[in-house]
Amino acid sequence: MPPNKVRFSPTVSRSHTPPHSPSPTPSNPSTLYNTDDDQDSDDDDSLRQQLLPTTARPLVRRRRRPSKQGVWMKLGMTVLLAVALLGLGVLFGVIFWENEEGIVADDGILVDAPRGAVSSDVLTCSRIGVGLLKKGGNAVDAAIGTAVCIGVVNSFASGIGGGGFMVVREGNGRSKAYNFRETAPGNASRDMYNGDPLKARVGGLAVAIPGEVHGYATAHARSGRIPWREIWQPSIDLARGGFHVTPTLAGIIAKEAPFFQQHREEWGFLFHQGTGELLQVGELMKREAYARTLEVIAGKGEYTRGGVYSGVKQFYNGSIAGQLVEAANRHGGILTTEDFSKYFTIVEDTLKTDFYGREVITGPPPCSGVVLIEGLNIAEKLDMNDPDRSLSYHYLVEIMKWISAGRTELGDPTDPVVASNSKRIGQLQSKSYAEAVRANISADTTYSWEHYNPAYEPVDPKGTSHLSVLDNYGNAVALTTTVNLYWGAKVHDPQTGIVLNSEMDDFSIPGRSNAYHLEPSIYNYIIPHKRPLSSTTPTIIVEEDGTPGLVIGGSGGSRIVTGVFQAIVKNYLWGYGLLDTIKSPRLHHQLIPEVVLAESNTEKWILEGLEERGHAIKLKGIGEASGGSVIQVVKGMDSGRVEAVADWWRKGGRAAGY
């Protein structure tokens, strides 16, 4: 079956294929992207040629067995520690506690809940999601409610002026991918930024057609349990009543202080109404215009007469569309109201692979799920499951380089040029391709970028926001949303309160200089109504017994897929607990530039082991703002409980459970 393309118009709110919309070729996305090894062609024989004399070592699961003396010593220490903690608990009244949010440990970062949990960039938003679960909502309801809240608080990274992707796995095992990525305007063209690529980042010409509202309505219409208006109400109240500025938000405001001060009239909600200065940590931010817009989308007031999704129709076919077109075009944009009315959400099959007997479910292109599958397939039979060996980290980085090379061949499958590459995209996901790659990975050295055969220049998209949800019914949602660069295109419409995206910068632009003499990817060139390539990788892993395990995704541009891959390796291969999976230092390599980016707290012996094998190392700070990834995760445990961790260390996120 071809993917469903859902459009909300004044008279239509159902699945159909609009005559104006491009169609994937071939039409069946499962044929296009999900390939079994049985379907591998003879072309794979050329991939099997070994460029290196080494072969992958057999996989050995290493389990350290402590001595009996060590066991008794640890037991004694544990008893003493428990007694000490109990005494302190009696004295001070709080060490660990269990309440409606579950058991909270490690200063509240690790959440252990009996029924469900939400992990996001903002604690208030995670709690809103949990509140919707408590009201009888499911993971889809909670994910939408949480994401809307993120758009209120972290408007620099998310909001209804952007778009994203959602992977949903229902408790009955069925899964779907929702593609509500922004689309290029109808007047867009491949060479529209010739001579001035900065216009793809700042100003109205950087703005693509937002898809977030449409995607949420589509998902809710298919799977929601509680009324549409109730999902939006907590965020309406938050935007109107105000919220305290977080350290993350304050820091990102401060970085753009000269711009905001120069454009104070347009960005007034960022300024203190009393002092006239940009808001600081702990001060109250109100977004009253945004609250009014959210009320319209929720179908409140006069819009209750138009049906459940009457406000969505206003966004794409009514007053909001007209206002956003005017705002973008005032800053040099080329949007039309027809662009908004033609927008549709694609609902399609997920991509799947198996990883040590577990099912991995992720999003098809223009997501980067293809190369996450590629990486996991490669890792499956490499001797890299011992985190105390430097070789494991070398293999980790080598796989990242192959992942990054694979990403250069991805794009929106509605583009005929991309569709013509479908055989190669299927090949990247095959087990036989992974076998061929392993034969081209050395245990002793790394190679220059040419060895990994990138097709084109890698694109480097920027930050986003991710959230993960697991509910009491066994439904799981991984949702990633973005306005691309911080503050999107730096276009804020004071009438609607919406920050507009800069998603046009995620397309490849012909003529951009490149020190490695690689051309920009033809698979990611601009055509009207096309969706740009995305590094997002919303992913759900299903345990061998069929229950949901890891629900994961991230933000941080090109670091997303390597961050998600790394977290899966740490949790499932290295045996890290969920807290350490997210907290521990990360490495990143995107093939070009030829350097391993290592968080500053990475242990010295790991870096030395990489340098011995020829890797160049660059230390950096931690977090998205320092060029790293931010990962949010929820996991169903064997006990039936749910654990959740948000990346507090890198973006201040916090999970919540019940």
Side-chain angles (χ1 to χ4, degrees):
M1 291 290 292
N4 287 326
K5 299 172 182 178
V6 183
R7 183 177 65 181
F8 289 86
S9 71
T11 58
V12 180
S13 179
R14 57 188 173 86
S15 299
H16 72 299
T17 303
H20 56 261
S21 64
S23 299
T25 305
S27 62
N28 190 337
S30 61
T31 302
L32 187 60
Y33 294 119
N34 282 306
T35 61
D36 298 320
D37 285 333
D38 295 342
Q39 298 171 326
D40 291 340
S41 70
D42 294 336
D43 293 342
D44 282 338
D45 291 340
S46 62
L47 295 171
R48 299 177 189 278
Q49 297 177 0
Q50 295 189 10
L51 302 181
L52 307 176
T54 59
T55 57
R57 300 176 184 177
L59 183 65
V60 179
R61 290 188 177 275
R62 297 176 180 270
R63 302 284 187 188
R64 290 182 179 78
R65 294 183 177 274
S67 65
K68 291 183 179 179
Q69 181 181 7
V71 171
W72 284 108
M73 288 181 65
K74 287 184 178 180
L75 180 60
M77 292 294 290
T78 301
V79 171
L80 287 172
L81 181 60
V83 171
L85 289 174
L86 183 60
L88 288 171
V90 172
L91 286 172
F92 298 103
V94 57
I95 293 293
F96 299 102
W97 64 95
E98 181 163 2
N99 56 22
E100 290 187 330
E101 295 184 357
I103 300 171
V104 183
D106 202 296
D107 294 327
I109 307 304
L110 173 65
V111 171
D112 176 7
R115 290 175 287 279
V118 178
S119 179
S120 81
D121 284 338
V122 179
L123 177 58
T124 297
C125 301
S126 297
R127 286 174 171 166
I128 283 176
V130 168
L132 293 169
L133 293 178
K134 290 179 180 178
K135 292 179 68 172
N138 61 20
V140 170
D141 298 318
I144 296 170
T146 304
V148 175
C149 172
I150 295 290
V152 171
V153 179
N154 282 358
S155 52
F156 61 86
S158 179
I160 60 175
F165 301 90
M166 182 190 307
V167 172
V168 177
R169 182 188 184 267
E170 298 174 358
N172 58 18
R174 294 180 300 195
S175 64
K176 286 294 179 185
Y178 292 80
N179 173 354
F180 48 97
R181 180 75 155 155
E182 301 91 330
T183 59
N187 291 324
S189 63
R190 192 191 75 159
D191 301 314
M192 62 189 286
Y193 300 113
N194 278 2
D196 196 355
L198 183 62
K199 288 184 177 178
R201 297 186 169 201
V202 180
L205 206 59
V207 180
I209 308 305
E212 185 160 319
V213 171
H214 201 289
Y216 296 163
T218 302
H220 181 264
R222 291 174 61 95
S223 303
R225 286 174 59 95
I226 61 177
W228 176 248
R229 277 179 284 174
E230 291 185 22
I231 292 174
W232 292 76
Q233 192 59 53
S235 295
I236 293 169
D237 295 338
L238 185 67
R240 177 164 288 128
F243 54 91
H244 295 288
V245 174
T246 65
T248 299
L249 176 56
I252 293 172
I253 290 173
K255 284 188 175 183
E256 299 291 344
F259 174 84
F260 292 136
Q261 288 163 351
Q262 186 178 352
H263 300 87
R264 179 187 296 258
E265 184 176 336
E266 189 171 296
W267 295 86
F269 74 99
L270 299 179
F271 290 84
H272 193 287
Q273 297 305 304
T275 66
E277 300 295 324
L278 284 167
L279 290 167
Q280 303 293 317
V281 176
E283 293 181 333
L284 193 69
M285 177 182 289
K286 292 185 178 183
R287 302 189 63 192
E288 294 180 2
Y290 199 61
R292 291 193 296 271
T293 300
L294 297 185
E295 282 187 325
V296 173
I297 294 168
K300 294 176 68 73
E302 63 180 292
Y303 299 102
T304 57
R305 297 189 299 273
V308 175
Y309 303 109
S310 60
V312 181
K313 296 169 188 174
Q314 286 296 316
F315 193 98
Y316 290 97
N317 300 276
S319 59
I320 298 176
Q323 184 61 42
L324 295 181
V325 167
E326 181 182 336
N329 294 355
R330 193 165 55 242
H331 291 271
I334 55 174
L335 307 189
T336 67
T337 54
E338 184 181 12
D339 290 332
F340 277 78
S341 68
K342 286 184 175 181
Y343 188 86
F344 56 88
T345 293
I346 299 175
V347 182
E348 56 192 326
D349 292 338
T350 53
L351 300 184
K352 297 177 182 179
T353 192
D354 63 277
F355 183 64
Y356 288 103
R358 301 174 179 90
E359 184 180 51
V360 179
I361 302 171
T362 188
C367 266
S368 290
V370 166
V371 292
L372 175 65
I373 287 175
E374 176 197 5
L376 293 174
N377 286 343
I378 297 168
E380 196 170 32
K381 293 185 180 180
L382 278 179
D383 183 15
M384 59 178 292
N385 60 325
D386 187 348
D388 293 331
R389 298 172 66 206
S390 62
L391 178 61
S392 296
Y393 297 89
H394 166 66
Y395 282 153
L396 191 75
V397 171
E398 287 299 294
I399 295 172
M400 290 178 184
K401 295 173 78 171
W402 285 101
I403 284 173
S404 298
R407 282 194 71 245
T408 70
E409 303 195 54
L410 302 183
D412 183 349
T414 62
D415 182 344
V417 175
V418 179
S420 70
N421 197 41
S422 60
K423 184 177 180 180
R424 172 61 173 164
I425 295 172
Q427 187 181 64
L428 289 172
Q429 302 168 77
S430 69
K431 298 288 186 178
S432 57
Y433 180 77
E435 181 184 353
V437 169
R438 284 191 295 272
N440 288 279
I441 294 177
S442 170
D444 304 314
T445 187
T446 189
Y447 296 90
S448 64
W449 64 269
E450 296 94 338
H451 176 79
Y452 306 88
N453 298 316
Y456 298 98
E457 174 191 359
V459 295
D460 187 18
K462 305 304 184 292
T464 54
S465 183
H466 179 84
L467 62 95
S468 296
V469 184
L470 184 58
D471 69 21
N472 195 36
Y473 310 104
N475 302 305
V477 174
L479 189 161
T480 311
T481 176
T482 180
V483 293
N484 197 28
L485 302 172
Y486 284 162
W487 308 108
K490 291 185 180 175
V491 175
H492 170 251
D493 174 33
Q495 296 299 313
T496 62
I498 294 174
V499 177
L500 288 168
N501 67 82
S502 58
E503 222 62 61
M504 295 300 290
D505 187 54
D506 271 0
F507 285 110
S508 296
I509 298 176
R512 272 186 174 172
S513 60
N514 181 277
Y516 295 84
H517 307 293
L518 277 171
E519 294 296 322
S521 174
I522 61 170
Y523 301 124
N524 197 38
Y525 281 159
I526 299 168
I527 62 173
H529 307 299
K530 182 178 176 178
R531 302 172 195 228
L533 177 63
S534 172
S535 57
T536 59
T537 319
T539 300
I540 298 168
I541 297 182
V542 182
E543 302 296 341
E544 293 180 71
D545 64 0
T547 59
L550 212 61
V551 185
I552 189 170
S555 59
S558 59
R559 279 75 62 189
I560 294 173
V561 65
T562 59
V564 170
F565 167 70
Q566 202 165 167
I568 293 172
V569 167
K570 288 178 178 179
N571 191 249
Y572 284 113
L573 290 191
W574 295 356
Y576 282 25
L578 207 61
L579 186 74
D580 288 333
T581 294
I582 305 304
K583 181 180 179 180
S584 56
R586 292 185 196 134
L587 304 172
H588 170 71
H589 203 305
Q590 62 188 54
L591 188 62
I592 295 173
E594 297 181 277
V595 62
V596 178
L597 298 179
E599 291 186 336
S600 55
N601 54 343
T602 304
E603 292 188 67
K604 185 178 179 181
W605 67 268
I606 296 173
L607 303 179
E608 290 174 344
L610 291 172
E611 288 176 328
E612 288 170 3
R613 293 173 171 87
H615 295 281
I617 307 292
K618 181 180 179 181
L619 292 177
K620 61 179 184 60
I622 66 172
E624 190 178 69
S626 299
S629 60
V630 175
I631 306 296
Q632 318 293 0
V633 64
V634 173
K635 186 177 184 181
M637 308 302 291
D638 292 341
S639 63
R641 295 178 70 87
V642 178
E643 287 189 356
V645 176
D647 210 334
W648 178 84
W649 304 273
R650 297 171 180 85
K651 203 174 179 180
R654 293 279 293 275
Y658 83 114

